[in-house]
Amino acid sequence: MSDSHAMETPLAVEHEARPELRHHFADEQQQRNAASLGMWWFLGTEIMFFGGMFCGYLVYRRMYFTEFAAASRTLNLPIGAFNTVVLLCSSLTVAMAVRFAQLGNRKMQVRMLLLTLVFGLAFLGIKGKEWGDKYKEHHIPTFNHYNVISGEGALTNVKGNAELLGLDKITDPVKRQQREAEIQQRTKIFYSLYFALTGMHAIHMIIGVGIFIVITWMAHKGRFTPEYHTPLEIAGLYWHFVDIVWIYLFPLLYLIDRRGA
Amino acid sequence: MANHSEHVASARLYWLIWLALIICTVLTAYVATVDLGKFNTVVALGIATFKATLVALIFMNVKHTSEKMTKAILISAVAWLLLLLFLSLADYSSRLAG
Amino acid sequence: MATVAVPVEQKNYLNAEYGIRSWLFTTDHKRIALLYLVSITAMFFVGGFFALLIRLELLTPAGDLLLADTYNKMFSMHGQVMVFFFLIPSIPAVLGNFLIPMMIGAKDLAFPRINLLSWYIYIVAAGLYLWCIFSGGVDTGWTFYTPYSSLFSNTHVIEAGLAIFIAGFSSILTGLNFVVTVHRMRAPGMTWGRLPLFVWSHYATSIIMLLGTPVIAITLVLVVLERTLNLGIFDPSRGGDPVLFQHLFWFYSHPAVYIMILPSMAVVSEIIPCFSRKRVFGYTFVAMSSIGIAVIGFLVWAHHMFVAGISLYSALVFSFLTFLVAVPSAIKVFNWTATMYKGSLSFSTPMLYAIGFIGLFTIGGLTGVFLATLGVDVHVHDTYFVIAHFHYVMVGGAVLGFLGGMHFWWPKITGRLYPEGWGRLAAVIVFIGFNLTFFPQFILGYLGMPRRYWDYSHMPEWQGLNVLSTAGASILAVGYLLPMVYMLWSLRYGKIAGDNPWQATGLEWKTPSPPPTFNFDETPIVTEEAYEYDKMPLPEEVSLER
């Protein structure tokens, strides 16, 4: 980095005693504020990033409500709820890690960060299992075996879906076939959005885990003090944000219409 | 040099918030199975927003931050999102209705 | 470093270090700006090459130079390269990068390493796009409309989409850097009311970059996923709605027009007061109109979709909102004009570009109001009228602003003056060439010539105007090449500029040219408002002989 040979001698000397302070900032307060402001603006862009998909979701949910509701019922509610709890726990441990950094407790800081990693990976593992189940049920639009009408993944296997989709009232085989084709097509959009949204969320989780591995290592090396723990703090903001995205994804994807389940 | 007085929340508060978040998750999963008519969606999104607000205010320290801009950024980003959703859905609603 | 201590020559950002590594690993915002300058200029010539082929094809009514498919690729890649790889980064990443820290009295942007990262991201994106070009190109039009892009096109849509997705991150990081810098790095006394209008405009631009770019990023990802993983989101044969793609695309791409034009307005707001020797008229209004454009610019996107099947009620609302966005733009034009009124004007090269900008932007903006009117839009939709309209804004506006700004700050960037006589000549050539190229297209469009046609042999009477347009394009090309030549020449032979050749206000003129690595030897303290031209001496008359 070119700042190693700062031109102004007084500043350069001053900076030697303050290794975290980069050359172009007047003091730590300014640097800290800049970093946190930057992260908040980044999270603002992230809101819009997911927002594009939320917009698509809302439009199609409005258009094809019954098919969306029926497909939503095939998602595993207990596992989804459990995964939400796992993620909320990880948010608690991140908040606690920041708190222990503020208090200067390195040992507890590292423990909390390790717990965060465990929760984060557990979330991803559970998500992976859910995706695997979807593959077995032939619910992934990518594959040609996609099928929500018959077989293991038939929507009508779920209680109440036949009534919801109106399949129980159609007796004419031609009309039934037409309706089934329609359902096949419209649920495909639900699952496309489901995989796009949870996939994009999972990518953010993976990036988060990567960041927190570095942060944990830094904490282990004792880099964070009550005065300086900006990296931990802004990484924490990112983690909480990814958590908030899931807080919305859970009801939007799993709970479209579970009445009477 | 570091003259900022950072707000250190009590551990008790973090645990309480965590507990509230867990209860809300269980609640939202349960309420979804009860027939509230049109209000199922409202309740689900209401609970989600409540949870998100708790995380933002306490865990992300928006409530006690010394940074004045944080709230402004949050509000403008959410406002922009609502703008996208509202104006797009306005097209679909008036189109499908007509 | 210490061994080359030459007492006479002052150390500046250019001679502080030498060698390719000192450029590729620099975190100095000024060097990064020059890296961007070289890269976007290269992309400009790529895009210009496609434009050349388009104009040559349209010289004759028959489709005789290019195959129809090749022509489709030419206009698609012309648009994508020019919009995403030249216009959007042009002024912000070059002049904004160079000047914003200096104008607010900071040593650097808030995140210098992220600044360098954003250049590397741009290079990766541009490299991927070039690869897409050389492996066969893309023919979706610059807009990637579905279902053509997601289903039917058998060209390299995935590479192009990913390249633009990646370029978006470069733009987001630049915007992030600017916003945080303006908030956090201002020198003592540099209050919001004293910020140069250049900074205000870039602040507004950055907000659009931050809140708009992610939406197109995710939209292009969805198109790529639709092509690769068979996810059906926009494809009507899979129950999707192509109009949804247009909503999401234009939610970014309309405000993107303001990403291109606001920085140009930023440049003009600096040039006009300097060469009128007057304070800018209505500072607060000009500053607030930038923010106004950024906000209202997000409320108008569906005016691109009036004939795409959106609801009539929605179209009416968007038409009305589009009229509204003309108000802040008009405020700017009136204030610039009022600044010039009774000023002591001198028509140096930057001022010629600035005045050209005002005229051309006004035409571009007003034809935008025509297009916002539902009835007119239905008539001229997808014709050359639209092409002419947005080229008046993007070339007549954004490119003229870029050229004007490059001339205005060239002495600061390089420490040398460009030859003034050649500069004025080039400015006049650009103006004439531009109008000759694009004014006939308004008429062609009104006569009904559709955009994206490569063969108009059913309407041979359109040829005359097309010949004029092609002739104008060649003049315009000369106008672009001239500054390239004499500016490179001036690097070695130009007259030494001195700290402040224009006697302009602003902190960037208070440091040496070229500036030292950390801009200011000591942090400046600001005590006066921007544009105190009544306190500045007049510049020496710029001699035309040089």
Side-chain angles (χ1 to χ4, degrees):
Chain A
M1 294 298 118
S2 64
D3 51 314
S4 52
H5 40 262
M7 303 221 118
E8 301 90 333
T9 349
L11 261 182
V13 169
E14 205 183 337
H15 278 197
E16 264 166 38
R18 298 145 75 190
E20 300 93 10
L21 182 61
R22 290 177 49 76
H23 69 88
H24 56 291
F25 289 111
D27 56 42
E28 279 93 346
Q29 178 78 28
Q30 191 191 25
Q31 174 168 349
R32 195 183 119 92
N33 282 345
S36 118
L37 190 64
M39 185 41 103
W40 275 105
W41 266 115
F42 179 73
L43 297 183
T45 70
E46 287 275 39
I47 290 179
M48 295 309 290
F49 188 76
F50 281 98
M53 281 188 289
F54 279 128
C55 182
Y57 168 85
L58 287 177
V59 165
Y60 292 123
R61 176 183 163 139
R62 198 186 175 289
M63 278 186 186
Y64 308 136
F65 184 80
T66 46
E67 290 83 359
F68 265 45
S72 158
R73 288 176 179 174
T74 68
L75 301 179
N76 194 330
L77 179 57
I79 282 196
F82 179 72
N83 227 0
T84 313
V85 171
V86 170
L87 208 51
L88 292 172
C89 292
S90 76
S91 255
L92 174 72
T93 53
V94 167
M96 284 297 201
V98 174
R99 188 172 169 275
F100 282 118
Q102 289 168 336
L103 298 174
N105 187 337
R106 187 175 69 91
K107 203 167 145 196
M108 285 306 286
Q109 212 187 115
V110 175
R111 276 190 198 164
M112 285 300 156
L113 289 171
L114 286 174
L115 269 178
T116 307
L117 288 175
V118 170
F119 285 131
L121 291 170
F123 177 90
L124 285 169
I126 295 169
K127 196 79 238 161
K129 189 219 172 296
E130 280 190 86
W131 282 25
D133 290 345
K134 285 284 128 201
Y135 177 78
K136 283 185 212 138
E137 290 167 11
H138 298 184
H139 282 172
I140 302 186
T142 309
F143 302 106
N144 286 330
H145 67 213
Y146 179 86
N147 188 352
V148 293
I149 300 303
S150 56
E152 204 186 327
L155 291 178
T156 44
N157 291 351
V158 179
K159 195 184 113 198
N161 261 354
E163 297 80 31
L164 181 70
L165 294 166
L167 283 171
D168 56 338
K169 293 201 186 72
I170 304 176
T171 42
D172 180 11
V174 178
K175 276 189 182 155
R176 189 183 172 94
Q177 216 167 17
Q178 280 171 348
R179 176 67 183 139
E180 279 173 353
E182 199 175 70
I183 292 168
Q184 176 95 345
Q185 189 184 52
R186 292 175 177 181
T187 50
K188 224 175 188 175
I189 296 185
F190 174 81
Y191 288 114
S192 293
L193 283 164
Y194 167 78
F195 285 106
L197 280 162
T198 57
M200 207 51 82
H201 181 262
I203 288 173
H204 278 78
M205 286 294 293
I206 292 167
I207 293 171
V209 168
I211 293 172
F212 267 81
I213 289 174
V214 178
I215 293 286
T216 311
W217 182 79
M218 285 168 84
H220 173 70
K221 290 278 167 194
R223 293 281 179 80
F224 304 134
T225 60
E227 290 79 33
Y228 176 77
H229 47 269
T230 312
L232 169 58
E233 206 180 311
I234 62 171
L237 289 180
Y238 174 84
W239 191 275
H240 292 308
F241 171 79
V242 178
D243 188 9
I244 287 179
V245 171
W246 183 260
I247 287 177
Y248 278 99
L249 286 183
F250 175 62
L252 288 179
L253 294 172
Y254 289 74
L255 305 176
I256 292 183
D257 186 357
R258 293 273 183 177
R259 286 176 288 181
Chain B
M1 193 60 210
N3 51 4
H4 60 269
S5 52
E6 210 180 335
H7 177 81
V8 182
S10 71
R12 199 183 131 82
L13 175 68
Y14 281 161
W15 279 105
L16 277 176
I17 295 298
W18 173 79
L19 194 65
L21 290 169
I22 303 293
I23 292 174
C24 282
T25 307
V26 175
L27 186 71
T28 193
Y30 168 73
V31 170
T33 63
V34 181
D35 192 348
L36 300 175
K38 281 183 175 175
F39 289 98
N40 276 87
T41 311
V42 178
V43 170
L45 284 178
I47 293 177
T49 305
F50 178 68
K51 285 161 75 182
T53 313
L54 285 184
V55 173
L57 286 183
I58 309 298
F59 286 171
M60 297 170 92
N61 203 26
V62 172
K63 195 176 174 197
H64 291 286
T65 182
S66 55
E67 175 62 74
K68 283 171 237 141
M69 278 304 293
T70 308
K71 290 182 184 94
I73 296 168
L74 254 183
I75 291 168
S76 44
V78 171
W80 247 254
L81 173 64
L82 292 178
L83 201 78
L84 168 67
L85 301 181
F86 178 76
L87 283 175
S88 311
L89 282 174
D91 169 32
Y92 283 91
S93 306
S94 51
R95 186 165 8 136
L96 299 175
Chain C
M1 241 358 39
T3 51
V4 286
V6 183
V8 189
E9 199 188 354
Q10 209 184 354
K11 278 282 171 218
N12 59 48
Y13 79 104
L14 290 171
N15 63 13
E17 281 179 285
Y18 293 100
I20 188 84
R21 281 178 60 91
S22 78
W23 284 91
L24 291 183
F25 295 103
T26 182
T27 52
D28 182 352
H29 65 103
K30 298 180 287 301
R31 286 189 164 214
I32 295 169
L34 294 190
L35 292 176
Y36 262 116
L37 176 62
V38 174
S39 349
I40 65 159
T41 308
M43 290 310 273
F44 178 75
F45 281 103
V46 175
F49 173 71
F50 297 138
L52 174 78
L53 291 178
I54 293 171
R55 280 320 321 163
L56 283 179
E57 170 60 60
L58 293 177
L59 200 53
T60 56
D64 39 18
L65 179 69
L66 303 170
L67 295 171
D69 284 346
T70 319
Y71 185 80
N72 289 345
K73 289 178 180 171
M74 288 305 123
F75 69 69
S76 304
M77 295 191 294
H78 167 69
Q80 288 172 356
V81 169
M82 285 304 199
V83 168
F84 295 107
F85 295 98
F86 175 72
L87 285 168
I88 286 177
S90 65
I91 298 182
V94 179
L95 292 171
N97 225 334
F98 195 97
L99 293 164
I100 287 176
M102 296 176 71
M103 284 183 164
I104 64 171
K107 292 194 182 78
D108 205 324
L109 287 172
F111 310 116
R113 285 180 289 191
I114 288 182
N115 195 20
L116 181 66
L117 176 68
S118 84
W119 179 71
Y120 275 106
I121 293 176
Y122 174 86
I123 289 299
V124 170
L128 182 57
Y129 198 87
L130 289 176
W131 189 66
C132 160
I133 293 174
F134 286 116
S135 55
V138 60
D139 70 347
T140 57
W142 80 277
T143 49
F144 288 104
Y145 270 14
T146 54
Y148 183 72
S149 63
S150 63
L151 193 63
F152 298 108
S153 173
N154 53 8
T155 56
H156 298 260
V157 181
I158 295 171
E159 289 92 326
L162 285 180
I164 290 163
F165 170 76
I166 296 170
F169 282 96
S170 160
S171 163
I172 288 175
L173 292 179
T174 304
L176 190 71
N177 232 329
F178 286 176
V179 170
V180 176
T181 305
V182 174
H183 270 289
R184 287 285 162 262
M185 311 292 287
R186 281 172 286 132
M190 180 55 90
T191 58
W192 287 89
R194 288 175 180 169
L195 280 180
L197 292 168
F198 185 91
V199 178
W200 269 108
S201 257
H202 273 82
Y203 184 80
T205 310
S206 308
I207 290 179
I208 305 177
M209 286 172 164
L210 285 171
L211 295 175
T213 318
V215 177
I216 198 177
I218 191 65
T219 311
L220 291 176
V221 167
L222 290 176
V223 170
V224 169
L225 290 180
E226 192 156 324
R227 276 184 85 91
T228 51
L229 296 182
N230 199 23
L231 300 189
I233 292 173
F234 302 124
D235 173 9
S237 70
R238 279 176 272 186
D241 181 16
V243 178
L244 176 67
F245 172 85
Q246 298 188 20
H247 272 300
L248 295 175
F249 179 85
W250 289 113
F251 181 81
Y252 165 76
S253 295
H254 188 77
V257 174
Y258 302 110
I259 296 182
M260 303 175 220
I261 198 73
L262 272 169
S264 225
M265 294 170 159
V267 169
V268 171
S269 300
E270 296 295 313
I271 294 176
I272 299 268
C274 177
F275 293 99
S276 308
R277 311 310 302 168
K278 262 179 78 186
R279 293 187 59 150
V280 79
F281 184 86
Y283 171 92
T284 319
F285 280 91
V286 182
M288 284 306 132
S289 65
S290 296
I291 306 294
I293 288 175
V295 174
I296 304 175
F298 271 102
L299 304 175
V300 304
W301 77 81
H303 65 215
H304 295 269
M305 303 156 60
F306 284 160
V307 298
I310 61 168
S311 91
L312 182 63
Y313 307 105
S314 197
L316 282 171
V317 172
F318 275 106
S319 172
F320 172 73
L321 289 168
T322 308
F323 291 138
L324 273 191
V325 83
V327 174
S329 311
I331 288 178
K332 279 187 192 289
V333 170
F334 289 136
N335 279 290
W336 292 323
T337 322
T339 308
M340 291 200 287
Y341 177 66
K342 287 193 175 170
S344 52
L345 303 186
S346 55
F347 296 97
S348 304
T349 315
M351 187 63 163
L352 291 181
Y353 280 112
I355 294 173
F357 170 94
I358 296 180
L360 300 182
F361 173 71
T362 305
I363 296 178
L366 282 177
T367 48
V369 176
F370 299 178
L371 290 168
T373 318
L374 277 170
V376 180
D377 185 72
V378 171
H379 179 56
V380 295
H381 186 83
D382 268 349
T383 68
Y384 265 85
F385 192 88
V386 177
I387 307 286
H389 153 68
F390 71 69
H391 279 90
Y392 263 79
V393 176
M394 289 182 191
V395 184
V399 176
L400 256 66
F402 176 68
L403 288 172
M406 282 313 297
H407 284 84
F408 187 56
W409 282 289
W410 189 253
K412 182 52 64 182
I413 295 171
T414 64
R416 291 185 186 263
L417 290 172
Y418 57 86
E420 181 63 27
W422 285 102
R424 292 185 195 182
L425 179 68
V428 172
I429 292 178
V430 166
F431 187 81
I432 293 173
F434 173 82
N435 280 298
L436 196 54
T437 313
F438 292 106
F439 201 83
Q441 297 186 2
F442 275 127
I443 306 168
L444 278 171
Y446 210 78
L447 294 175
M449 178 164 171
R451 69 193 288 194
R452 295 176 174 175
Y453 274 33
W454 114 111
D455 175 321
Y456 53 96
S457 38
H458 60 300
M459 280 296 204
E461 60 267 39
W462 287 339
Q463 192 182 10
L465 288 165
N466 270 304
V467 169
L468 271 186
S469 182
T470 302
S474 6
I475 297 175
L476 191 55
V478 173
Y480 289 146
L481 288 171
L482 256 183
M484 276 281 291
V485 175
Y486 65 71
M487 282 179 142
L488 286 174
W489 174 89
S490 78
L491 283 180
R492 182 170 281 270
Y493 303 104
K495 197 178 139 195
I496 300 293
D499 294 0
N500 193 354
W502 316 117
Q503 292 301 332
T505 61
L507 290 177
E508 81 270 28
W509 299 106
K510 295 206 164 80
T511 83
S513 313
T517 302
F518 293 118
N519 298 344
F520 302 98
D521 292 331
E522 49 190 271
T523 307
I525 295 170
V526 183
T527 53
E528 55 185 22
E529 317 252 297
Y531 312 110
E532 293 280 9
Y533 274 103
D534 26 357
K535 292 183 190 160
M536 294 296 283
L538 285 175
E540 291 169 47
E541 192 54 44
V542 189
S543 154
L544 273 182
E545 276 81 66
R546 238 171 280 276

